Amino acid sequence: MDAAAGESQARTFSFPWLDWQAEAHHLWERYSRLVVTGGIYTGKSDWASWEVFTHCAKRMPGSLWWWVAGLNWQIDGVWEKFERNAKLVGARTRGAPYRQATFPSGSKLEMVSAKNIGLLKAKHPAGLVCDELAELTPKAVERLMGRAVGAKRLLVMSQAEGHPDLRRFVSWGREHRDNRWALREVSSIEAGILTAEQLRQARVDLPASVYQRDIMGVIPEGDGVFRYVTRATESERWSRCLLPKAGERYVVGYDPAKSADFGVAAVRKVSTDQVVSLRRW
């Protein structure tokens, strides 16, 4: 290997640790299942891609890894940097029918969005990364967990959404369930990627509930009762409220507005656990 190639490989294996990333790294060394949740702009995906890269390149030779993200653009963002680094150590890559990198060590990474997870259905990974779990459907989460049973390493990441599956994983991590799970929560402020001015502007521009969720990394409590409220309001099916029916029971929730927040009223149909009407002002 010439000097230039050696320098490129050395740069590939280095990573500018943030404090929380170093702590998460040590947690994942100790526990085989790690949940990382928090705010935006914290460096979760960059750190995870470095972890997977080192496992594929040298730490777990001959292993198969999956990386499943909620949305296509999340895959694209991670893959661009990962592919560039993988090629520096001699990995073969391809972009169709899904992103794939095969390392000289014999390890392989396969990356898909949640809607294309069926492409991987006949395989059993040794390592599994779920990026933005709150964006996944319950069916996709169930399929991933089925494959995670035999996996040696599992990493679940997500922004702090009020998603029932995410709440379950956070609880497992906090309780060190089965002595295998751990949790690391990180806010945008702790990560230090956003400047003080950007954080100040976010506090001014964002509703208080959004600031708590996206910057402070606090999982909202409202969706624990009114599940899938966000999904319901974005769905064409719920673009108009459903009229009440005789004999049915409904629960009404009201969150009054603060000085920099929205007021929200939601109606849930008890028998089907569906949000049938929602108003925000």
Side-chain angles (χ1 to χ4, degrees):
M1 180 183 296
D2 60 30
E7 290 176 2
S8 295
Q9 183 163 339
R11 285 197 302 271
T12 301
F13 281 97
S14 64
F15 189 85
W17 292 109
L18 301 173
D19 289 345
W20 83 261
Q21 292 168 335
E23 292 179 18
H25 171 76
H26 292 304
L27 279 173
W28 209 24
E29 291 283 294
R30 181 178 178 184
Y31 299 93
S32 63
R33 277 94 173 96
L34 176 62
V35 181
V36 178
T37 184
I40 60 176
Y41 296 107
T42 54
K44 293 190 295 292
S45 295
D46 279 348
W47 166 74
S49 65
W50 182 90
E51 291 282 3
V52 173
F53 177 88
T54 57
H55 278 80
C56 287
K58 57 181 181 179
R59 299 185 65 185
M60 288 179 61
S63 60
L64 172 63
W65 284 75
W66 284 4
W67 184 299
V68 180
L71 304 170
N72 285 327
W73 66 264
Q74 292 165 337
I75 288 290
D76 295 339
V78 173
W79 176 251
E80 181 180 1
K81 185 180 296 184
F82 190 95
E83 181 184 32
R84 182 169 63 248
N85 289 331
K87 286 182 175 179
L88 287 174
V89 296
R92 303 189 311 274
T93 65
R94 71 179 189 182
Y98 47 84
R99 309 290 197 273
Q100 185 180 105
T102 303
F103 287 77
S105 67
S107 294
K108 182 182 293 185
L109 170 68
E110 298 176 335
M111 305 179 75
V112 298
S113 63
K115 71 177 183 179
N116 295 324
I117 194 173
L119 295 171
L120 307 179
K121 61 185 178 182
K123 302 179 181 179
H124 301 275
L128 177 57
V129 176
C130 177
D131 194 1
E132 294 302 340
L133 179 137
E135 300 288 347
L136 271 61
T137 64
K139 183 177 181 180
V141 173
E142 288 177 6
R143 182 171 291 179
L144 283 176
M145 288 308 296
R147 289 295 184 266
V149 170
K152 296 179 180 179
R153 314 291 294 171
L154 173 65
L155 175 60
V156 176
M157 301 182 293
S158 187
Q159 291 181 25
E161 298 282 352
H163 186 289
D165 286 314
L166 177 58
R167 290 175 182 275
R168 176 162 54 102
F169 283 102
V170 167
S171 295
W172 289 354
R174 186 173 286 123
E175 297 164 3
H176 300 299
R177 182 174 182 265
D178 300 331
N179 295 319
R180 297 178 303 160
W181 291 81
L183 171 69
R184 183 55 165 92
E185 297 171 287
V186 57
S187 70
S188 302
I189 296 173
E190 179 189 0
I193 295 174
L194 294 177
T195 66
E197 175 58 25
Q198 289 171 324
L199 290 170
R200 187 197 68 79
Q201 196 62 50
R203 182 179 288 276
V204 171
D205 293 343
L206 298 176
S209 59
V210 177
Y211 183 87
Q212 287 290 314
R213 183 194 66 199
D214 290 355
I215 303 299
M216 300 303 295
V218 176
I219 296 179
E221 294 298 329
D223 283 358
V225 177
F226 297 94
R227 297 182 177 181
Y228 307 109
V229 167
T230 302
R231 189 178 304 170
T233 57
E234 293 174 349
S235 171
E236 182 179 345
R237 181 179 179 185
W238 304 112
S239 60
R240 293 174 296 179
C241 67
L242 302 182
L243 296 177
K245 294 183 178 180
E248 291 283 359
R249 293 180 61 238
Y250 298 87
V251 177
V252 178
Y254 172 54
D255 182 10
K258 297 180 180 179
S259 59
D261 200 357
F262 293 102
V264 178
V267 180
R268 180 171 64 88
K269 186 177 178 181
V270 174
S271 63
T272 59
D273 199 27
Q274 294 174 328
V275 176
V276 296
S277 182
L278 187 141
R279 294 291 182 271
R280 187 176 76 163
W281 61 92

